Amino acid sequence: MSRVDAEQVLHLLELLDREAPVEQLAQVRAGAATAIAVRIRQRLSRYHRRAAGLSALFDTASDLAGLQGTDAVLQSIVRRARMLLRTDLAYLTFNDPAAGLTSMRVTAGSTSALFQQVVLGMGEGLGGLVAQTARPYATADYAADTRFDHTTPIDEAVTDEGLVAILGVPLRLGQQVLGVLYAGDRAEREFSTEEVSLLSSLADHAAIALESARLLEDSRTAGETIRAHNEALRRAEAAHDRLTDLVLRGGDSDQIAAALASVLDGGIIVHDTGGVELARCGTPTRQQDSGLVAESARSGRAVTGAGLWVCAVLAGPELLGSITLSGREVLSDADRRLFERASVVTALLLLLQRSVAEAEDRVRGELITDLLTAPDRDQAGLLARGRRLGVDLRERHCVAVAEAADPRRLRSAAARALPVHSLLGVQGDLVVMVVGEDQPGTLAQRLAKELGDALDQPVTVGAAGPVTGPPALARAHTEAVKCLRAMVSLGQRGRGSDSAGLGFLGVLLGDPGDLSGYVRSTLGPVLDYDARRGTELVRTLRGYFACGGNLNRTKDELHVHVNTVVQRLDRVAALLGASWQEPERALEIQLALRLHEIVATTRPGPCTS
C-alpha cells in the first residue's frame, strides 16, 4: 500500500471515529476501503437508530407508568415519534365515534393553524381510512395517491402545512380504535417496515395512556365500585412499574415470567413466535396454543380457552410471541388489563433482546463462515475475533452440526441450549455449533435430545473433535457433516453421534490416522487381558474367524485342543459381551482385528492404546 493510500485509509478511520456522514466518507478516494467504510457507517447508523428507538420506547413506558397527565404523555409520544422517524412533523388525532369524526389532539412541528384544526370524517383521507380500518397506511406523495378519499378541507389543510409523505397507525385498545398517530414529511419519502413497527409501538403506548386516563376519570366520579377500580389500577400501575423496571435494569424473560406469576397468582409461560418456550414459572411446560394466539393477535386482547388465558405479544402489527396464564379460569377486568399491559412490556423486552441478539449473531455467524470457508487465510485474525466474542479457539473445541424440519426454530433453540462461550451459525440447511467440550459423542447425544424436546420434532446431530485452531475446526466440521449425513442415510434421524459412535462406519467417515482409536474401542478388554496375562485371545479370535467359526478347524490352525479354543472364546465373551458373535458386532470385531494387524506392522510395539 502506497503512502497516499495509507493516508486515505487513515483519513477514513478518523471520519468513522467522528461518526461523519456517509456523504463525507464517499468523497475519500480509497477504492475498496471507501466502500467498506460506507457500509460500516450505514450499519452503525442502523444500530444507532434501533438503539434510539428502544430507548424512546423505554422512556415512554416510564412516562406512562408515572401518568403525569394524559396530554403530557401524548405530547411526549408525538415528540418522540417525530424525533425517531426524523420527520418534519408528527401529530395525533382522536376519534369521536358518536359524531363519526376524528379531530386533531396533539401536534409537533406543525406551522399551519388550518392544519392544526382540521377535522376528518371516518374513511376520509389517509387518517380517516386508518381510523376506519384500524390498519397502518403510508404514502410517499399524498396529493398524488388515489387510494384515499380526498376532500377539499383535508387537501387544503395538507397543502397549507406543505405535507407530502404521511404515515398513519391506529391507536387501538382491543377492537376499539381510539385515534391515529402520524409522522409526516414535507418531501417525498418511503416509510420502511421498521418505521411502521416503531410508530405502532408508540401508538400502543398512547392508547394505554388514554385508557389509563379514562379509568382515572371514572374513578373520580363513582363511589365504592370506582374506589375498588382505583385500587386495582394502583395495583396494575405498581405491577407495570415493577415489570418496566425489570426491563430497564436488563432483566430477562425468566424474571418477567416470575414477576407476572406473582402478581396474577397463576402459572406463566412465555413463548416466542415459533412456539419455543422462552420462560416459565409456576406451571408445567405446555405447547403454545396457536389458535388462541391468533385470536388474541386479531383482537389485540387477552383471550381464554381450555382453562387458559393467552395474550399475543405484539409490536404494532408484528407478532413477537405470546404469554399463557394458567390456574386462573376467571380474570377480573383489572387483572385482564394488567395481563395485557404485561404483553406490552414483554414486547419491549423481546425487541431489545432481538436487537442485541441480531447484532451478536451476525458477528458470530460471520466468524463461523470464515472459520469453515477460509481457515488458513488469516488465522491470527480469526483467533482475535474469537477472543473478542469470549471464545479462545486455541483451546479444545468440538464442532456439532444439527438438522431438523424447521431450521429457523432449530437455530433459535440452539442459541438457548449452548453454553455462553460458544459459536453458532448456519451453513446451508444445517446449524453449526462450536462448543468448548472434550466429548463429541456425548455433546451430540445431549444436543439431539435437548433440541428435539424443545422443538417437539426429531433433531439429528453429528459431532467431531475435540480440536484446536481454525484449520482443525474446519476439518472437524467436514467430519461432523459426514457423520450427520450417514445417520440420515441409515434412517437414524433424531439421533446424536460422532464417528466413533457409528462403529466401523465411523472409521470410513472419521480421521484415517486414528485407526488405533477404533481398535481400542472395539478390542480394548481383550488386548488388555492378553497384555496382563500373556494369553493369546487375539490370535485365537483371528484363527476362529479365519476358519469360518469352525472349532475343529480352529484348533488345528492354532495347534491346541478344542477345549482350549472353547475356553478362550468363553473368556472373549466375558470380556466383550455375549453378543460378540452377532453378525454386525462380529463384522466390527473382524475389522478391528485386521486394523490392529495393520497398525502393529506399521508402528513400533503392539497396538494397546
Side-chain angles (χ1 to χ4, degrees):
M1 180 183 292
S2 68
R3 179 178 178 182
V4 174
D5 290 340
E7 289 176 351
Q8 293 294 333
V9 171
L10 180 60
H11 183 43
L12 280 174
L13 293 175
E14 291 174 346
L15 290 176
L16 282 173
D17 183 56
R18 295 202 304 268
E19 297 187 354
V22 170
E23 293 77 9
Q24 192 172 351
L25 291 170
Q27 293 174 0
V28 180
R29 299 184 179 277
T34 298
I36 293 173
V38 168
R39 290 199 300 272
I40 291 174
R41 185 67 189 89
Q42 290 171 337
R43 183 175 297 177
L44 289 173
S45 295
R46 289 196 298 271
Y47 291 161
H48 289 330
R49 287 196 301 270
R50 185 172 295 174
L54 290 172
S55 177
L57 289 176
F58 292 148
D59 290 343
T60 303
S62 297
D63 289 348
L64 177 59
L67 284 175
Q68 297 174 351
T70 305
D71 287 339
V73 174
L74 295 181
Q75 288 170 1
S76 174
I77 289 172
V78 170
R79 286 196 302 271
R80 286 188 180 120
R82 182 189 180 198
M83 175 191 68
L84 291 175
L85 273 66
R86 298 183 180 180
T87 54
D88 295 325
L89 69 158
Y91 52 102
L92 184 150
T93 59
F94 193 61
N95 289 353
D96 184 353
L101 301 173
T102 180
S103 55
M104 196 69 69
R105 176 75 176 263
V106 181
T107 65
S110 173
T111 59
S112 167
L114 181 62
F115 182 79
Q116 294 168 20
Q117 298 171 11
V118 69
V119 176
L120 295 75
M122 298 298 287
E124 294 177 355
L126 181 146
L129 190 58
V130 172
Q132 184 180 52
T133 63
R135 293 175 55 190
Y137 279 91
T139 178
D141 186 353
Y142 178 81
D145 200 325
T146 58
R147 292 178 299 163
F148 310 113
D149 182 12
H150 290 266
T151 67
T152 300
I154 297 175
D155 288 352
E156 288 178 349
V158 170
T159 301
D160 193 55
E161 186 62 61
L163 265 184
V164 177
I166 305 174
L167 166 63
V169 298
L171 279 69
R172 299 198 326 174
L173 189 67
Q175 296 181 341
Q176 182 184 6
V177 178
L178 303 179
V180 181
L181 178 63
Y182 307 81
D185 255 338
R186 296 187 176 94
E188 288 191 12
R189 168 179 177 173
E190 296 287 345
F191 290 96
S192 68
T193 301
E194 182 179 351
E195 289 171 327
V196 174
S197 294
L198 179 57
L199 194 63
S200 296
S201 294
L202 289 170
D204 289 342
H205 284 75
I208 292 174
L210 292 171
E211 171 66 358
S212 298
R214 185 187 66 80
L215 292 176
L216 286 172
E217 290 167 4
D218 288 347
S219 69
R220 297 189 189 100
T221 59
E224 288 296 326
T225 302
I226 298 304
R227 281 197 291 273
H229 271 287
N230 198 31
E231 177 61 32
L233 182 60
R234 285 195 295 271
R235 175 169 168 262
E237 290 171 357
H240 191 85
D241 284 346
R242 178 181 176 187
L243 295 174
T244 303
D245 185 59
L246 276 177
V247 174
L248 296 177
R249 287 191 292 103
D252 55 22
S253 302
D254 287 323
Q255 292 173 308
I256 292 290
L260 193 54
S262 173
V263 170
L264 291 176
D265 193 24
I268 292 291
I269 302 181
V270 181
H271 291 100
D272 69 9
T273 185
V276 176
E277 182 182 295
L278 301 178
R280 174 168 49 89
C281 182
T283 183
T285 186
R286 68 174 74 243
Q287 289 186 350
Q288 184 185 52
D289 191 319
S290 57
L292 290 178
V293 173
E295 182 182 348
S296 175
R298 284 193 300 269
S299 66
R301 299 292 304 273
V303 297
T304 184
L308 301 173
W309 284 89
V310 174
C311 191
V313 177
L314 300 167
E318 182 183 2
L319 178 65
L320 301 179
S322 66
I323 308 176
T324 301
L325 171 64
S326 59
R328 292 287 305 274
E329 292 191 7
V330 178
L331 281 183
S332 66
D333 289 344
D335 280 350
R336 182 171 178 170
R337 283 191 293 272
L338 172 57
F339 188 38
E340 292 165 351
R341 282 187 177 191
S343 73
V344 175
V345 176
T346 304
L348 296 179
L349 174 65
L350 295 183
L351 282 172
L352 176 61
Q353 290 178 340
R354 185 173 70 179
S355 177
V356 173
E358 284 176 353
E360 184 170 318
D361 287 352
R362 186 176 297 108
V363 175
R364 291 178 181 270
E366 289 170 353
L367 177 56
I368 283 278
T369 298
D370 291 345
L371 275 173
L372 302 184
T373 58
D376 298 308
R377 187 168 60 196
D378 182 15
Q379 293 190 41
L382 293 173
L383 293 173
R385 288 164 63 186
R387 285 194 297 272
R388 286 195 294 270
L389 294 172
V391 180
D392 189 349
L393 298 177
R394 296 170 301 178
E395 300 292 334
R396 291 158 62 88
H397 287 82
C398 289
V399 178
V401 294
E403 180 183 65
D406 190 337
R408 182 180 60 82
R409 291 181 60 206
L410 174 61
R411 188 189 186 289
S412 177
R416 288 186 291 275
L418 292 179
V420 175
H421 300 301
S422 302
L423 295 178
L424 174 67
V426 176
Q427 289 288 302
D429 59 343
L430 301 180
V431 172
V432 183
M433 297 157 278
V434 177
V435 188
E437 293 195 15
D438 284 335
Q439 301 296 326
T442 302
L443 172 66
Q445 293 170 12
R446 176 176 65 80
L447 288 174
K449 182 179 187 309
E450 290 184 4
L451 298 178
D453 291 344
L455 300 184
D456 195 27
Q457 61 181 246
V459 175
T460 310
V461 181
V467 296
T468 60
L473 287 169
R475 292 192 295 271
H477 169 259
T478 300
E479 181 179 339
V481 172
K482 289 180 179 179
C483 181
L484 184 146
R485 298 303 185 204
M487 286 188 285
V488 172
S489 299
L490 294 172
Q492 298 181 4
R493 290 186 183 277
R495 180 185 170 192
S497 180
D498 61 352
S499 295
L502 297 180
F504 73 90
L505 183 59
V507 176
L508 304 177
L509 299 173
D511 181 1
D514 190 29
L515 300 179
S516 61
Y518 175 74
V519 173
R520 186 74 197 161
S521 65
T522 306
L523 293 176
V526 175
L527 294 171
D528 292 343
Y529 193 89
D530 276 355
R532 289 196 308 269
R533 305 204 175 196
T535 53
E536 295 186 330
L537 298 185
V538 171
R539 179 168 173 263
T540 301
L541 278 172
R542 286 201 189 102
Y544 177 74
F545 285 120
C547 294
N550 186 295
L551 293 177
N552 287 323
R553 289 173 54 194
T554 303
K555 62 99 174 174
D556 293 338
E557 175 73 20
L558 300 176
H559 305 292
V560 297
H561 194 275
V562 67
N563 289 341
T564 302
V565 175
V566 172
Q567 291 171 0
R568 291 179 180 177
L569 294 180
D570 286 344
R571 175 57 59 186
V572 168
L575 293 171
L576 300 183
S579 64
W580 73 275
Q581 294 190 75
E582 293 181 0
E584 185 173 341
R585 184 77 187 284
L587 177 60
E588 292 185 353
I589 292 173
Q590 291 179 72
L591 178 60
L593 288 168
R594 182 60 58 88
L595 293 175
H596 175 255
E597 187 175 10
I598 292 172
V599 172
T601 60
T602 56
R603 296 182 184 177
C607 179
T608 59
S609 62

